[in-house]
Amino acid sequence: ATHPGTPRLDPDVADDFAFAFDIDGVLIRGGQPIPEAIEAMKVLNGENEFGISVPYIFLTNGGGKFETERCRDLSRQLEIEVSPGQFICGHTPMKQYASHYNNVLVVGGEGEKCRNVAESYGFRNVITPGDILKANAATAPFRKLTDSELNSSRDLLEGGTKKLSDIVIDAVFVFADSRDWASDLQIILDIAQSKGGRLETRSETFEEGPPIYFSHSDVLWSAAHEHVRLGMGALRRIVETVFAETSGGKQLKTHAFGKPQLSTFQFATRLLQQWRAEHHGLVESAPPRTVYFVGDTPESDICGTNLMDEKTRDSEWYSILVKTGVYQEGTVPKHMPRKLVGNVLDAVNHGIQREM
Ligand code: G3P
Ligand code: MG
């Protein structure tokens, strides 16, 4: 299914199937590549018995960096060229919300990184927990900003001409994992319980806080430690639980992007189509018959892939679960994959064998 007018960049490209990869626990763990991942990428790039190359994209719930930066890291780790045209991270879909809100609180990540990413997405007035702590250190009694944090934080009081209560937060976006759960929790809750997002105020009804978005909802993820680590989904649960506890039982409904949300997989479908067209010269309107999704977390990767398979008419979404991350061998996954394999290389070989 090659478009007649498009130069086919890659003469032996598989046009009716493709791969999509989760990153943590599948390709990378604690900043180091999972050994089979490098070989798996080579197989996809033509080092297989059929001499074909297979299109692929990456879909991680992680974040905290510019997409370009993360792609540079991945390129080095996996010894291939990874383009932002084949990459989606947890906060990528938040871009669509940049024009919806004026003042946003952006939480998570190292230093000023997430503020910079949010601004690059087009968010107009990005405020961070550090800015609020700089204006009122009593916000979080046990959190002291370092000198460099004080320097990089904004002066929300504008030299004493403004008060924090002059600022209304229109939405909260948790871009990446919190580096200080206690103060971030306090600040998110303060805003959730404020009068319509106005800083330093307290609602009487606890029903007028602005929307709160998390870039994903993974309670656990796979990092360098031998056991799984707590992720952003755990903070999300704490926010909701403590809100109810301190609001006379009122429920706080927060929102999450990332896997397993169907919209994230639909976003990935569009990216994959563009990537196949631009990089491989395939017809953009003709989707691959099968997309193999390789993940380690049943609750996000497998759940979302299976849901996508159920909801999509023109492609089959085929879930493959690996044993190198969150899923533990011998346990029953909450969501059943179409195939359970040892590692990402087995997953790639399985997909190719099933096709050829
Ligand atoms: O914080 C990242 C983690 O929750 C999941 O990343 O690549 O497994 O989707 P990934
Ligand atoms: Mg993972």
Side-chain angles (χ1 to χ4, degrees), residues 135-156:
N136 184 359
T139 303
F142 305 119
R143 170 78 161 100
K144 295 275 164 286
L145 293 179
T146 62
D147 287 344
S148 100
E149 286 171 331
L150 277 169
N151 279 336
S152 58
S153 296
R154 285 175 55 189
D155 174 22
L156 297 180

Side-chain angles (χ1 to χ4, degrees), residues 304-338:
T305 306
N306 292 352
L307 189 68
M308 188 64 185
D309 187 50
E310 215 179 285
K311 302 278 182 202
T312 312
R313 283 229 189 93
D314 27 1
S315 295
E316 170 192 44
W317 279 70
Y318 185 100
S319 53
I320 307 180
L321 180 62
V322 295
K323 301 178 187 169
T324 48
V326 168
Y327 169 74
Q328 293 297 305
E329 191 162 18
T331 61
V332 180
K334 247 203 187 138
H335 298 269
M336 284 314 244
R338 294 280 292 278

Side-chain angles (χ1 to χ4, degrees), residues 97 100-107 132 167-174 187-203 205-214 239-240 243 251-255:
Y97 285 72
H100 289 39
Y101 304 108
N102 201 35
N103 301 333
V104 294
L105 180 84
V106 165
V107 181
I132 294 174
I167 299 170
V168 174
I169 300 291
D170 301 313
V172 174
F173 286 88
V174 183
I187 289 168
I188 295 169
L189 275 177
D190 279 342
I191 292 170
Q193 296 181 327
S194 67
K195 283 191 198 319
R198 189 170 292 281
L199 294 178
E200 309 269 272
T201 63
R202 194 58 101 226
S203 168
T205 60
F206 296 125
E207 286 173 356
E208 50 179 322
I212 300 174
Y213 300 96
F214 288 82
V239 167
E240 293 185 346
F243 182 92
Q251 299 299 308
L252 175 70
K253 195 164 163 21
T254 63
H255 311 274

Side-chain angles (χ1 to χ4, degrees), residues 63-73 76 89 91 94 106-123 126-131 148-149 152-153 173-177 179:
K65 287 182 176 177
F66 286 100
E67 284 82 352
T68 42
E69 196 179 342
R70 188 76 208 269
C71 287
R72 271 200 303 276
D73 295 345
R76 179 179 34 81
C89 70
H91 46 68
M94 287 177 167
V106 165
V107 181
E110 281 311 325
E112 294 295 291
K113 256 310 157 45
C114 286
R115 187 204 307 273
N116 299 337
V117 174
E119 286 173 349
S120 80
Y121 286 179
F123 283 99
V126 179
I127 293 168
T128 66
D131 301 341
S148 100
E149 286 171 331
S152 58
S153 296
F173 286 88
V174 183
F175 261 60
D177 284 293
R179 300 310 199 253

Side-chain angles (χ1 to χ4, degrees), residues 27-42:
L27 301 167
I28 306 287
R29 242 181 109 160
Q32 296 302 318
I34 288 173
E36 292 84 2
I38 294 167
E39 181 65 23
M41 295 298 118
K42 288 190 176 140

Side-chain angles (χ1 to χ4, degrees), residues 21-26 59-63 70 177 216 218-222 231-232 259 296-297 300-301 326:
F21 294 98
D22 171 55
I23 295 181
D24 290 307
V26 172
L59 179 55
T60 177
N61 274 352
R70 188 76 208 269
D177 284 293
H216 68 83
D218 290 347
V219 176
L220 298 171
W221 67 298
S222 174
M232 191 190 295
K259 299 164 290 182
D296 69 309
T297 307
S300 53
D301 303 317
V326 168

Side-chain angles (χ1 to χ4, degrees), residues 198-271:
R198 189 170 292 281
L199 294 178
E200 309 269 272
T201 63
R202 194 58 101 226
S203 168
E204 277 143 35
T205 60
F206 296 125
E207 286 173 356
E208 50 179 322
I212 300 174
Y213 300 96
F214 288 82
S215 67
H216 68 83
S217 205
D218 290 347
V219 176
L220 298 171
W221 67 298
S222 174
H225 198 277
E226 63 168 312
H227 299 300
V228 287
R229 301 291 87 191
L230 292 177
M232 191 190 295
L235 179 64
R236 182 184 182 202
R237 299 232 179 145
I238 295 169
V239 167
E240 293 185 346
T241 308
V242 181
F243 182 92
E245 186 72 31
T246 54
S247 308
K250 288 267 164 73
Q251 299 299 308
L252 175 70
K253 195 164 163 21
T254 63
H255 311 274
F257 293 88
K259 299 164 290 182
Q261 303 298 319
L262 192 63
S263 55
T264 299
F265 282 84
Q266 287 161 341
F267 198 98
T269 303
R270 293 193 292 276
L271 187 89

